[in-house]
Amino acid sequence: GWVENLTARGNPFAGLFLFASSLEAQNVDLAANSYGALVELNSSLALDYGNVADNVYGVFADQDTQVSLVGLDIHDNMIGLALDGASAWITGCGSHDNSTSLDTYLTFGARADFASGNDMGNVVCDGTCLTRGDAGCGFSFTDAMPAIPERQRVGPFPREP
């Protein structure tokens, strides 16, 4: 499906949730949700222009999903963009000022093509990922861990003993 002017605010679970489906949306505002966008199980999501802010996860994609992001400002989330076994094509986007220092987080064989004009902040990878383009894995997961307070750790990474 295709949606113009998509707004989802204040949802306790996800502003946008795709499960084995596809969606293209333009002019998005995904804010104050647990997940701004949650994309799972062979889904396809294209988000063009807009704002993803004040969520726990800005955009989270996993399980062989495909994501296309164009001109998004992903900021002030706990984790900005998280790809866990997903593929993404990203251009003209920014991911910054996310509270755990995980602006862009790639795990479990994620593939990211940072096409052009991106400022993806701290890009953290677990060592199984492939990236190309104008951003790449600048930090390993173990380098990033000390910067994340235990109480803020959520998602697919280990907790301290």
Side-chain angles (χ1 to χ4, degrees):
W2 187 83
V3 177
E4 187 170 5
N5 300 319
L6 173 65
T7 298
R9 291 178 159 265
N11 294 294
F13 178 59
L16 175 61
F17 177 55
L18 293 180
F19 185 84
S21 56
S22 64
L23 178 70
E24 296 178 46
Q26 185 174 18
N27 302 321
V28 300
D29 182 20
L30 304 173
N33 307 291
S34 289
Y35 293 86
L38 176 58
V39 189
E40 294 195 324
L41 194 60
N42 296 317
S43 293
S44 175
L45 174 65
L47 296 177
D48 296 347
Y49 307 103
N51 182 56
V52 180
D54 300 317
N55 304 288
V56 175
Y57 283 91
V59 176
F60 183 90
D62 69 1
Q63 300 182 28
D64 297 319
T65 60
Q66 296 178 342
V67 178
S68 171
L69 306 175
V70 177
L72 282 185
D73 187 13
I74 304 169
H75 63 94
D76 297 313
N77 304 285
M78 285 184 73
I79 297 172
L81 169 63
L83 303 175
D84 183 33
S87 297
W89 183 80
I90 303 160
T91 188
C93 293
S95 183
H96 55 91
D97 300 324
N98 296 291
S99 66
T100 61
S101 298
L102 294 174
D103 295 313
T104 304
Y105 181 50
L106 310 176
T107 59
F108 200 67
R111 296 169 306 279
D113 184 346
F114 298 101
S116 65
N118 296 298
D119 181 5
M120 300 309 293
N122 292 325
V123 180
V124 177
C125 302
D126 73 355
T128 65
C129 305
L130 297 173
T131 64
R132 67 176 164 196
D134 67 2
C137 297
F139 300 93
S140 70
F141 177 71
T142 54
D143 292 339
M145 284 298 286
I148 306 168
E150 174 68 26
R151 69 185 182 291
Q152 290 183 339
R153 293 185 188 173
V154 296
F157 46 80
R159 300 205 180 262
E160 291 178 1

